[in-house]
Amino acid sequence: MEQQNITAVKGVGEKTAKLFQKIGVETVEELLHYYPRAYDEFKEPQPIERETELIREEDMEKAIEMIKAARKPFIFVGGGAVASDAANELSAFAHKIQAPVGDSLMGKGAFDGTDVLYTGMIGMHGTKTSNLGVAECDLLIVVGARFSDRVVGDPNHFATNAKILHID
């Protein structure tokens, strides 16, 4: 079996390849030997099928009611929105309800960072605008995100004025 040089792997940049070479790893096979989890990074991503059979009509109605009743909604976007390629739907939704949008590091790219509704990252590495938006919203709409400690900080002080609608 022919060994593949790391520099030939799609998605591995020149700096990453140099780093591997500095530590004495020059082929994909060597990398996988020392770091078996790296295998996932070299697989082509598979499309995610949208599963809708678990969505109940009454849950959709409740979500719509919550959104309609909200005076100050805020949208928090995570990596799930990126992985499911939901950028267009997310943008249309945010503009329809005129809600500001903040993201996590994994959510970068799911919402246009130059859009007037974009407020920046949320949490310990977030912007003041995003963190205030979460603190003052009455409905936090979470799209494809998890509540990590870097976003939430102290759970007793996170979105205390808000109902939370979690869309995964």
Side-chain angles (χ1 to χ4, degrees), residues 27-44:
T27 67
V28 173
E29 290 76 13
E30 288 175 321
L31 175 64
L32 296 177
H33 175 76
Y34 295 110
Y35 182 54
R37 287 182 33 207
Y39 176 74
D40 292 335
E41 297 173 21
F42 293 109
K43 290 194 297 189
E44 282 293 317

Side-chain angles (χ1 to χ4, degrees), residues 3-50:
Q3 292 193 340
Q4 184 177 16
N5 190 290
I6 286 178
T7 55
V9 175
K10 179 180 174 186
V12 174
E14 185 179 327
K15 288 182 181 178
T16 304
K18 283 182 182 177
L19 173 67
F20 287 135
Q21 289 168 347
K22 279 185 180 180
I23 60 172
V25 175
E26 295 193 15
T27 67
V28 173
E29 290 76 13
E30 288 175 321
L31 175 64
L32 296 177
H33 175 76
Y34 295 110
Y35 182 54
R37 287 182 33 207
Y39 176 74
D40 292 335
E41 297 173 21
F42 293 109
K43 290 194 297 189
E44 282 293 317
Q46 299 298 311
I48 297 173
E49 288 188 38
R50 296 177 191 245

Side-chain angles (χ1 to χ4, degrees), residues 105-142:
L105 186 59
M106 295 300 292
K108 288 281 179 209
F111 193 79
D112 182 0
T114 63
D115 192 292
V116 67
L117 293 176
Y118 181 68
T119 60
M121 282 181 53
I122 295 172
M124 72 167 26
H125 301 293
T127 64
K128 185 174 184 178
T129 304
S130 287
N131 289 327
L132 277 172
V134 170
E136 295 182 3
C137 71
D138 62 351
L139 177 64
L140 180 61
I141 304 167
V142 183

Side-chain angles (χ1 to χ4, degrees), residues 4-5 42 45 54 63 73-74 84 92 94 96 100 103 113 119-120 123 133 139 148 150-151:
Q4 184 177 16
N5 190 290
F42 293 109
L54 299 176
F74 190 94
S84 62
K96 183 173 183 97
D103 56 14
T119 60
L139 177 64
S148 73
R150 299 203 180 244
V151 168

